[in-house]
Amino acid sequence: MVVTDSFDIYEIYRALVEQSPGPIALYVGSNMKIAVANDAMLMAYGKDRSVIGKPFSKAVPELNNQPFFGILQEVYKNGIPYFMEASQADVIVDGRLQTFYFNFDYKPLKDKDGKVWGIINTATNITQYVLHKKSVEQTEEMLRLAVDSASMGTWFLDALSRELTSSGRTRELFGFYGKDSLTLEAAMGQIPGSHRQQVIAAIDEAITKDMKYDIEYPVTGYHDQQLRWLRVTGKLYEAEEGKSPFLAGTVLDVTARKQDELRKNDFISMVSHELKTPLTSLIAYLQMLLENAKKGDDSFTIHALEKSNLQLERMRTLIKGFLNISRLDNSGIHLIKKDFDLYNLVLEAVEETRLLVTDHKIIFESCNPIKVHGDPDKLRSVISNLLSNAVKYSQKGKTIEVKCETAATSIQISIKDEGIGIHPRDAKRLFERYYRIESDKTQNISGLGIGLYLSAEIIQRHDGKIWVESTSGKGSTFYFSLPLLKH
Ligand code: ADP
C-alpha cells in the first residue's frame, strides 16, 4: 500500500480497489485478519461486508479444510509469493456449497526489516472457462469411447499437402500393422483399380466443393491380403490460423453387411431366374387368351385380361431389374451398342407409358432426330423408369413434362413432375442401391430402390450423367445427358 499524507490519493486508491471487477483482499497478521476485501472478493467468498475485520478461517470457515489457509500461512512465514492456476474453491454462495475455479495470487507485504505483515490476495474467476473446457474434454472422451467401441478408425488429410494422418485402427483396416506409417498413396494402392478413381474423385470433390465424404469401397489388406469393405466418411474443416484446411473422418469395417448384401443378391438372382421362365409362358398364355376373348364381345373378360397382362408386365420389369443387379455384381451390365435415334426412343417410351397410365397428363415436346451411340433397350428402361417414378411419386391428375435439349456435344433429356419432391439431403443418395426415402409421403408407395441405381449405372456406362433437381413438396426434374454422336 502506498503511504501518503494526501487524503485524496488514499481515497482514490481505496476507490480503485473497491471498484475493481477482479477480487482483491488484504490479510494482516498471522491469523490472516481480513483488513480489506472488495465486493468482487466478497462475492467470491459468498459473504457480506460483516466478514471484514475477522480472521480468514472464521470468515470463510468452509475453506478451512481446503489448502488456502495453509498456503497463506506458508507465504506469511517464508515471504515467498505464491501463484496458482485453475484452483478449485468450494464456497457457500446463496446458501449452498458451490465449486468455483480461480487463478489466484498471494503477495507478501513486508516492513522495512523484511518481516511480512500482510498478504495481498488477487484472483481471477475462471469457472466458466474451466467448466467449458471440462465439457469439451468430456465430449471428446465420449467420442473416443464411441469410436473405440465401434472399432472405428479415424483419419485426417491435409487438404493442401494431402498428407495423411491415421489412427492405428485405420492402418489395420487397410491391412497394415498399427505401427506402420500410412500415406495416402499407400492407402489408395490397396483399393482395387475398379474403385480407385471413384475414391480419388470423391476426395477431390469433398475438398474443392466442400461436400460430405461418404463412400464404401473394397480394399485388399497390405500384409494379410484380406478383402475388406470399408465405409469411409469425412468432412472438410476450415483452416485455422497457420494451418491448412483438412478433411477428417472415420473408417468402419462393413464387410459383414456387404457379404449379407451379396448373399441376398445371389438369392434374389437365383429366384428371379427361376421365376423368369414360368412368367414368360404365363404372359404368352394370357396374350393368347386375350386374342381369343377379343373375338367375342365379353368386355369384362377382355378388361380383366388386359389388367392381368399389365400386372404381369410389371412383374417382368421387376424381375429384369433384379437380374440386371446380379449381373452388375458379377460382370457388369452387358451393353449392345449401336447408332440410333434417341428422339424416337423417348417417344416410344412416352407412348408406352401413356397406354399404361391414364390418370396423369404426359406432355412431350417434340424435337429433332438425335443420333446417339448406345444400347437402346437399356436406355429405354432408364426413360421408362424415370417416367414411372414421375407417375408413382405425384398425385393423380398432375402433369409430367418430357423435354429434350441439345447442346454442342451432348443431348439432355428431362422428366419433370409436380409430385412430392425430394429433400436435398436425399438427392444424391437416390442413385444408391436399395436407397428409398422413408417418409409419411412415401410409406404407401411400394418399390425396392433399385430403379434409379440401375439407371445411373446404365447412364454412366454410356459416358453420360444423371441427376435430379427438386424442391420438397413442389416436384422434381430428373435429367440425364448423353454425348452426341461425333460425325
Ligand atoms: P423405387 O421407386 O422402387 O423405390 P427408385 O430407385 O426408382 O426405387 O427410386 C428411389 C427413391 O427415390 C424412391 O424410393 C423415392 O423415394 C425417390 N424418388 C424417385 N423418383 C422420384 C420422384 N419423381 N419424385 C420423388 N421421389 C422420387
Side-chain angles (χ1 to χ4, degrees):
M1 188 173 285
V2 177
V3 180
T4 170
D5 52 10
S6 157
F7 176 77
D8 280 344
I9 289 285
Y10 177 76
E11 277 302 306
I12 288 168
Y13 273 100
R14 193 184 151 82
L16 276 175
V17 171
E18 286 300 327
Q19 300 307 318
S20 161
I24 304 175
L26 168 65
Y27 312 124
V28 291
S30 59
N31 63 348
M32 302 294 144
K33 196 171 83 182
I34 302 174
V36 175
N38 68 358
D39 287 349
M41 185 59 92
L42 291 173
M43 218 152 90
Y45 296 155
K47 305 288 178 283
D48 58 25
R49 302 203 77 80
S50 66
V51 298
I52 295 176
K54 288 187 184 163
F56 187 84
S57 59
K58 295 244 165 48
V60 204
E62 64 267 32
L63 288 182
N64 282 350
N65 52 5
Q66 297 175 50
F68 307 99
F69 192 60
I71 299 170
L72 277 171
Q73 282 180 323
E74 279 294 300
V75 173
Y76 192 84
K77 214 161 69 192
N78 302 334
I80 302 168
Y82 187 89
F83 174 73
M84 181 126 153
E85 264 186 345
S87 171
Q88 179 178 340
D90 298 327
V91 280
I92 296 173
V93 175
D94 298 334
R96 63 194 169 90
L97 192 66
Q98 296 185 45
T99 298
F100 297 92
Y101 295 89
F102 293 97
N103 289 342
F104 72 88
D105 212 337
Y106 291 155
K107 273 213 182 74
L109 298 171
K110 297 174 186 172
D111 61 18
K112 57 182 185 324
D113 301 326
K115 190 171 168 348
V116 178
W117 62 268
I119 294 171
I120 290 245
N121 174 194
T122 53
T124 316
N125 185 345
I126 53 161
T127 309
Q128 290 304 327
Y129 165 77
V130 172
L131 292 183
H132 177 71
K133 201 165 147 233
K134 275 185 191 272
S135 104
V136 170
E137 280 166 3
Q138 222 169 27
T139 313
E140 277 177 358
E141 177 63 18
M142 274 159 60
L143 197 67
R144 237 192 321 275
L145 278 177
V147 164
D148 284 351
S149 61
S151 293
M152 265 184 192
T154 51
W155 58 276
F156 299 82
L157 182 73
D158 187 307
L160 303 180
S161 68
R162 304 279 163 121
E163 191 186 329
L164 181 70
T165 311
S166 55
S167 68
R169 178 68 184 149
T170 296
R171 296 191 283 275
E172 281 168 14
L173 289 172
F174 279 83
F176 290 85
Y177 301 133
K179 59 180 174 22
D180 289 347
S181 63
L182 180 67
T183 62
L184 183 63
E185 291 69 35
M188 292 298 127
Q190 301 317 118
I191 305 172
S194 51
H195 286 77
R196 200 177 306 139
Q197 268 323 101
Q198 203 190 345
V199 176
I200 293 171
I203 293 177
D204 281 344
E205 238 182 16
I207 291 175
T208 53
K209 298 189 188 149
D210 193 7
M211 279 170 50
K212 205 167 170 281
Y213 177 76
D214 186 347
I215 185 168
E216 286 182 7
Y217 52 82
V219 295
T220 311
Y222 180 74
H223 291 298
D224 57 10
Q225 293 298 304
Q226 232 189 64
L227 180 83
R228 289 184 196 84
W229 274 86
L230 304 182
R231 176 168 181 196
V232 186
T233 56
K235 180 177 172 306
L236 186 69
Y237 291 86
E238 291 297 320
E240 281 172 21
E241 220 172 287
K243 289 186 185 156
S244 312
F246 62 93
L247 272 185
T250 56
V251 192
L252 190 64
D253 187 342
V254 291
T255 314
R257 171 165 65 65
K258 275 282 166 188
Q259 276 167 348
D260 268 357
E261 236 171 58
L262 292 179
R263 271 195 292 272
K264 188 166 84 185
N265 285 341
D266 281 350
F267 175 74
I268 291 175
S269 145
M270 190 190 76
V271 172
S272 311
H273 248 294
E274 294 303 313
L275 282 175
K276 218 171 88 176
T277 323
L279 194 67
T280 310
S281 44
L282 203 58
I283 290 174
Y285 281 121
L286 208 67
Q287 256 151 11
M288 275 157 57
L289 277 176
L290 188 60
E291 291 306 312
N292 224 18
K294 278 184 179 164
K295 286 182 196 148
D297 57 359
D298 182 353
S299 61
F300 173 78
T301 306
I302 294 175
H303 181 71
L305 286 172
E306 272 170 353
K307 287 281 173 203
S308 315
N309 206 18
L310 209 86
Q311 295 307 326
L312 283 180
E313 279 304 336
R314 284 208 174 132
M315 220 159 145
R316 179 147 60 183
T317 314
L318 270 180
I319 288 176
K320 239 177 158 174
F322 288 140
L323 283 173
N324 276 336
I325 281 205
S326 57
R327 258 181 231 138
L328 203 65
D329 286 334
N330 297 335
S331 56
I333 295 181
H334 180 58
L335 298 182
I336 306 170
K337 287 191 180 180
K338 60 179 187 186
D339 294 353
F340 70 96
D341 179 7
L342 185 67
Y343 166 69
N344 250 333
L345 193 81
V346 179
L347 188 65
E348 276 170 29
V350 167
E351 280 173 353
E352 202 178 276
T353 311
R354 277 191 187 131
L355 278 181
L356 300 175
V357 177
T358 47
D359 37 26
H360 283 75
K361 194 165 156 209
I362 306 178
I363 303 174
F364 178 38
E365 276 181 24
S366 69
C367 54
N368 292 328
I370 322 147
K371 275 264 177 297
V372 293
H373 183 70
D375 183 327
D377 279 343
K378 299 284 186 301
L379 289 171
R380 185 189 285 115
S381 74
V382 172
I383 303 162
S384 300
N385 182 247
L386 296 180
L387 278 167
S388 78
N389 276 352
V391 172
K392 221 159 82 169
Y393 297 103
S394 62
Q395 280 175 343
K396 286 182 181 166
K398 295 285 182 191
T399 301
I400 294 160
E401 214 176 316
V402 183
K403 272 191 195 166
C404 46
E405 279 163 83
T406 1
T409 55
S410 66
I411 164 77
Q412 174 181 301
I413 307 288
S414 62
I415 292 159
K416 179 169 183 265
D417 65 54
E418 302 169 341
I420 58 173
I422 295 155
H423 194 279
R425 163 188 72 222
D426 296 304
K428 216 178 160 209
R429 301 204 60 194
L430 289 187
F431 300 97
E432 286 173 19
R433 183 192 292 196
Y434 304 129
Y435 191 80
R436 302 204 72 221
I437 300 169
E438 304 293 343
S439 76
D440 37 348
K441 286 192 199 133
T442 56
Q443 66 183 357
N444 293 322
I445 306 175
S446 65
L448 294 154
I450 56 172
L452 287 181
Y453 166 69
L454 280 176
S455 301
E457 290 292 328
I458 292 169
I459 295 296
Q460 209 184 1
R461 282 165 170 75
H462 281 84
D463 301 320
K465 277 194 213 142
I466 185 165
W467 70 101
V468 62
E469 285 169 11
S470 179
T471 312
S472 216
K474 295 232 167 84
S476 320
T477 309
F478 279 83
Y479 297 87
F480 72 85
S481 68
L482 294 173
L484 278 177
L485 198 61
K486 291 187 199 86
H487 293 288

